[in-house]
């Protein structure tokens, strides 16, 4: 399993939900803490305000699910599928992802600060107006993705590939043009100045 930043261990779980069929389940208002979910089918599940704290998800299918104003706090996701899943205004602070798939994942708003996505294949995902301060995106593959208006301040971006990525409006202060693939990326004028300055250029009007 990929390690969390600073070597923090995954929180222990106390109960287990295994091989349950939560297909199309309404998760509105549900509250789960320290639960291990194994091979649970959450395809097309949806809801508003669900809270999962210190939970671990192994082999869980979130495909085509829709989560609004939900919280997955300090959770761990291992080999989970997020095909066409949507997270709107959700908090995933401190959560860790390992070996998951993210095709057509859509994240709109919310707080994903301190999340761990090292090596994640996000090429067909989109993140819009999301707070991702100090997130771990080391080695993430984001070529061609949409990452617009995202706060990446303090994020770990070493060897992450943003080639052809739409980065307009995103905080690029933590990005190293020498260590990140940026060929063909779409940026705005302000970001161009930020990157030029990081390259040691003297930008003048």
């Amino acid at each position: 399993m990929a390690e969390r930043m600073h070597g923090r261990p995954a929180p222990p779980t106390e109960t287990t939900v295994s091989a349950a069929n939560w297909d199309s389940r309404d998760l509105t208002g549900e509250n789960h803490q320290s639960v291990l979910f194994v091979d649970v089918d959450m395809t097309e599940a949806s809801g508003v305000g669900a809270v999962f704290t210190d939970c671990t998800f192994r082999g869980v299918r979130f495909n085509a699910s829709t989560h609004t104003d939900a919280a997955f706090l300090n959770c761990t996701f291992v080999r989970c599928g997020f095909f066409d899943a949507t997270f709107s205004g959700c908090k995933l602070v401190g959560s860790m992802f390992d070996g998951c798939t993210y095709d057509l994942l859509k994240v709109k708003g919310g707080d994903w600060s301190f999340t761990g996505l090292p090596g994640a294949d996000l090429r067909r995902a989109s993140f819009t107006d999301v707070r991702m301060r100090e997130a771990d995106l080391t080695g993430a593959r984001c070529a061609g993705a949409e990452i617009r208006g995202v706060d990446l301040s303090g994020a770990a971006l070493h060897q992450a590939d943003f080639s052809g990525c739409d980065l307009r409006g995103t905080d690029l202060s933590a990005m190293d043009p020498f260590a990140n693939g940026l060929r063909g990326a779409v940026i705005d004028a302000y970001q161009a100045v930020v990157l030029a300055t990081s390259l040691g250029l003297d930008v003048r009007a």
Side-chain angles (χ1 to χ4, degrees):
M1 178 184 295
E3 292 187 358
R4 292 169 177 256
M5 292 184 70
H6 313 301
R8 293 180 295 110
T13 54
E14 299 172 356
T15 58
T16 301
V17 176
S18 180
N21 183 6
W22 287 18
D23 190 318
S24 303
R25 181 181 177 119
D26 183 1
L27 300 171
T28 298
E30 292 196 12
N31 193 323
H32 302 273
Q33 183 164 355
S34 302
V35 179
L36 169 62
F37 295 89
V38 181
D39 296 330
V40 175
D41 186 0
M42 292 191 185
T43 301
E44 296 188 354
S46 62
V48 179
V51 177
F52 297 83
T53 306
D54 294 339
C55 294
T56 295
F57 301 84
R58 293 183 181 275
V60 174
R61 295 180 292 282
F62 290 93
N63 302 332
S65 60
T66 304
H67 309 272
T68 305
D69 298 330
F72 294 82
L73 305 175
N74 203 34
C75 291
T76 303
F77 300 86
V78 182
R79 297 187 304 278
C80 294
F82 293 94
F83 175 78
D84 201 25
T86 301
F87 291 82
S88 299
C90 297
K91 292 183 179 180
L92 281 88
V93 177
S95 290
M96 179 73 191
F97 297 80
D98 182 46
C100 299
T101 57
Y102 311 93
D103 280 358
L104 303 184
L105 167 69
K106 293 175 285 293
V107 181
K108 305 172 183 177
D111 192 348
W112 287 51
S113 297
F114 305 101
T115 52
L117 289 154
D121 185 349
L122 302 174
R123 290 176 293 179
R124 300 185 66 199
S126 67
F127 290 78
T128 308
D129 300 323
V130 186
R131 186 176 185 178
M132 298 184 74
R133 289 188 175 185
E134 298 190 47
D136 183 3
L137 289 165
T138 304
R141 291 169 285 168
C142 304
E146 180 180 31
I147 303 179
R148 297 194 60 177
V150 176
D151 182 357
L152 287 175
S153 56
L157 305 174
H158 185 66
Q159 296 299 320
D161 182 10
F162 296 96
S163 303
C165 186
D166 189 345
L167 294 167
R168 286 175 290 177
T170 288
D171 184 333
L172 303 182
S173 59
M175 194 166 291
D176 180 355
F178 293 106
N180 298 121
L182 288 168
R183 182 179 296 275
V186 179
I187 60 175
D188 56 39
Y190 174 76
Q191 292 170 312
V193 173
V194 171
L195 291 177
T197 301
S198 68
L199 286 169
L201 300 179
D202 183 359
V203 181
R204 302 183 184 183

